[in-house]
Amino acid sequence: MWGVATRTSELRVSTRGDADVVEITAELQEAVAASGLTEGQASAFVRGSTAAITTMELEPGGVHDLRALLDRLVPVEGDYEHNRLNHDSNSHAHQRASIVGPSEVVPVIGGRLALGTWQQLVLIDFDDRSRERTVVLQVIS
Ligand code: ZN
């Protein structure tokens, strides 16, 4: 087949905030299956400036270590202009989200996401409260 076709869907995710990690691998794989795509790319993008999407080995040790790393890099308490100028409390969440990034693109091969065996796709919500998130899923041939 020649040409480019794109199929877009949205996923709603409830989070608890404070670096809550929610796996979305199955949802993106379902979007690939629904599209009928066998070769191409699938992407997941979270709307909002205090959440991120990445891949990781999703097990308690890895989650703990990633949270500890981000606590060291970007402490919750800090001298943050965003908080001062906006009377806000979540500058750490904005900075962590920027570092990790809002999206991932995964190759699709043989109708499957080309992830490693111990590689899961996750949404991480860094905000300091629970949130309802929208993740835009796109499958591109
Ligand atoms: Zn803010």
Side-chain angles (χ1 to χ4, degrees), residues 56-96:
M56 66 184 300
E57 180 176 352
L58 186 56
E59 56 82 30
V63 171
H64 177 277
D65 291 345
L66 181 59
R67 287 175 175 154
L69 171 66
L70 288 165
D71 279 344
R72 291 194 299 274
L73 284 175
V74 188
V76 173
E77 301 297 333
D79 187 21
Y80 293 119
E81 285 293 305
H82 173 78
N83 291 346
R84 188 163 31 247
L85 295 174
N86 302 287
H87 305 289
D88 211 341
S89 58
N90 67 350
S91 188
H92 66 287
H94 291 287
Q95 310 320 318
R96 292 175 185 189

Side-chain angles (χ1 to χ4, degrees), residues 48-61:
S49 58
T50 52
I53 289 178
T54 189
T55 68
M56 66 184 300
E57 180 176 352
L58 186 56
E59 56 82 30

Side-chain angles (χ1 to χ4, degrees), residues 1-8 31-32 34-43 105-111 137-141:
M1 187 178 79
W2 295 92
V4 175
T6 304
R7 184 185 172 112
T8 303
V32 171
S35 75
L37 180 75
T38 54
E39 305 284 327
Q41 293 185 325
S43 65
V105 177
V106 183
V108 175
I109 303 171
L137 307 177
Q138 283 196 318
V139 180
I140 304 166
S141 66

Side-chain angles (χ1 to χ4, degrees), residues 24 28 42-46 53 102-106 121 135-138:
I24 58 171
L28 188 60
S43 65
F45 174 91
V46 61
I53 289 178
S103 66
E104 287 290 345
V105 177
V106 183
L121 186 69
V135 179
V136 180
L137 307 177
Q138 283 196 318

